[in-house]
Amino acid sequence: MEKNEISKFLETQDISSNTKIVAIIGSGASVASGLKTFRGKDGLYEGKRAEDLASRQGFTQDPTLVWTWYRERITKVLNADPNSIHIALVKLEEEGLLTSVITQNVDGLHRRAGQSNVIEIHGNILKTHCFNSCGRTSELTKAPDPIPVKCDCGSYQRPSVVWFGESLDSTNLMKVEEHLLSASIVLIIGTSGYVYPVAQFPIFAKSQGKATLIEFNTDESAFSDVVDLFVKGPAESTIPTFVDLILQAKLQ
Ligand code: BJW
Ligand code: ZN
């Protein structure tokens, strides 16, 4: 069913080797790798206040609580493998159609799958840096122990992810703007569209650039009303189908 729907839609698009696709990724894309989303039932924030776990204030109040939450996630990430979405997007890059993957996910699975054009806009959970900005950093190959992780300066190390109230890296944001302005198609995969500034990226690509928006999600999101095509269903099944169809369309 979704195959016909995507095919029909692609017939209305001018697909060629000049087509520039950008993918915006959320935690729904890592569900097939065994990782959880944030919101909703069984989500990482279920029964918890997001700001207690993912903000400077939360870390200051209870570094052990925050590190306990991250250590559990780090263990799961270290045991996870890339899934069919990561692999299909690598293929799209190799075929010259995918200019950038803008991922909110901190699990590093795109790079592990072999994707080279990745912007990890919310950071990476397997890296840490000093909470007090002394400059010391580390890379995790196993779950940290003991926690909270101490820094040699006397402060703590913290996960190198972007917490609420923190600015996103400005070099990354400039690259994102460039990619969104030149995109012909933006794929929005497995994200609720709840968190800014990423929530603004698709509409920016459409209104300031010339992008067609295609969303892949099991449920409607904050983006669903503005997209040109909504492909409902698990992205681990719909993305490989989409990639095959667009590669066929490119040859025609
Ligand atoms: C599937 C699927 C399958 C499931 N297939 N689909 C008021 C108004 C506007 C903005 C603000 C405001 N108050 C504060 C702000 C700013 C704030 C913000 O956006 N808050 C909102 C909550 C309102 N943003 C910030 O603070 C950002 N910084 C910033 O704006 O700087 C400027 C500034 C500075 C100071 C003051 C104000 C502004 C930083 C945001 C950083 C967010 N960080 C987190 C944690 C990262 C670290 C970590 O991983 O621990 O990033 S929050 C969390 O949400 C994480 C995610 O990357 C992010 C997005 O979540 P995602 O991936 O969309 O997950 P879900 O669970 O929401 O959705 C999953 C989706 O998948 C669902 O739709 C499912 O249906 C779908 N799905 N299975 C396809 N198989
Ligand atoms: Zn330090």
Side-chain angles (χ1 to χ4, degrees):
M1 178 60 194
E2 97 240 346
K3 197 167 171 183
N4 287 341
E5 191 191 359
I6 297 169
S7 293
K8 274 200 183 136
F9 185 80
L10 289 178
E11 279 167 21
T12 69
Q13 305 293 304
D14 184 17
I15 308 296
S16 72
S17 52
N18 292 326
T19 299
K20 289 190 169 74
I21 303 176
V22 170
I24 298 174
I25 311 286
S27 53
S30 290
V31 165
S33 294
L35 303 178
K36 288 184 174 188
T37 62
F38 287 87
R39 296 168 184 85
K41 198 175 164 295
D42 290 337
L44 289 163
Y45 290 148
E46 197 190 15
K48 304 179 176 88
R49 277 171 21 103
E51 293 76 12
D52 287 346
L53 300 165
S55 74
R56 279 193 75 85
Q57 200 191 3
F59 190 85
T60 305
Q61 269 167 15
D62 196 341
T64 305
L65 172 80
V66 173
W67 260 117
T68 303
W69 189 65
Y70 278 101
R71 180 165 64 180
E72 199 173 305
R73 290 177 56 200
I74 286 164
T75 305
K76 296 215 164 100
V77 165
L78 287 168
N79 288 317
D81 290 315
N83 64 55
S84 57
I85 301 170
H86 304 103
I87 291 163
L89 293 179
V90 171
K91 189 166 160 193
L92 206 52
E93 178 187 340
E94 286 168 355
E95 295 289 337
L97 293 186
L98 184 64
T99 58
S100 179
V101 171
I102 302 165
T103 187
Q104 298 168 87
N105 297 348
V106 296
D107 52 36
L109 289 177
H110 290 283
R111 283 191 207 285
R112 275 188 41 209
Q115 194 89 48
S116 59
N117 51 12
V118 187
I119 301 174
E120 291 177 323
I121 198 89
H122 287 168
N124 191 306
I125 202 171
L126 298 181
K127 295 181 179 166
T128 71
H129 65 272
C130 179
F131 183 68
N132 203 26
S133 307
C134 79
R136 289 177 175 83
T137 61
S138 82
E139 300 221 359
L140 301 171
T141 50
K142 57 183 179 56
D145 189 37
I147 52 168
V149 181
K150 286 266 177 9
C151 184
D152 287 344
C153 75
S155 178
Y156 294 111
Q157 288 273 308
R158 55 162 281 186
S160 295
V161 298
V162 182
W163 284 335
F164 288 110
E166 294 185 317
S167 301
L168 283 67
D169 179 83
S170 58
T171 309
N172 278 345
L173 285 174
M174 278 193 299
K175 284 189 205 158
V176 164
E177 184 173 325
E178 218 173 277
H179 285 295
L180 292 176
L181 287 175
S182 62
S184 27
I185 297 178
V186 171
L187 311 178
I188 307 160
I189 307 172
T191 175
S192 61
Y194 191 66
V195 175
Y196 289 81
V198 175
Q200 293 168 318
F201 291 173
I203 204 69
F204 176 80
K206 197 176 167 78
S207 61
Q208 305 297 305
K210 52 182 178 343
T212 295
L213 307 180
I214 311 181
E215 178 175 31
F216 300 83
N217 201 310
T218 45
D219 292 294
E220 292 206 351
S221 76
F223 299 120
S224 305
D225 282 345
V226 298
V227 297
D228 299 285
L229 177 67
F230 178 69
V231 183
K232 189 175 170 69
E236 55 272 27
S237 135
T238 57
I239 285 292
T241 303
F242 171 81
V243 168
D244 286 347
L245 291 171
I246 200 160
L247 291 179
Q248 280 170 29
K250 181 190 154 199
L251 295 175
Q252 282 158 15

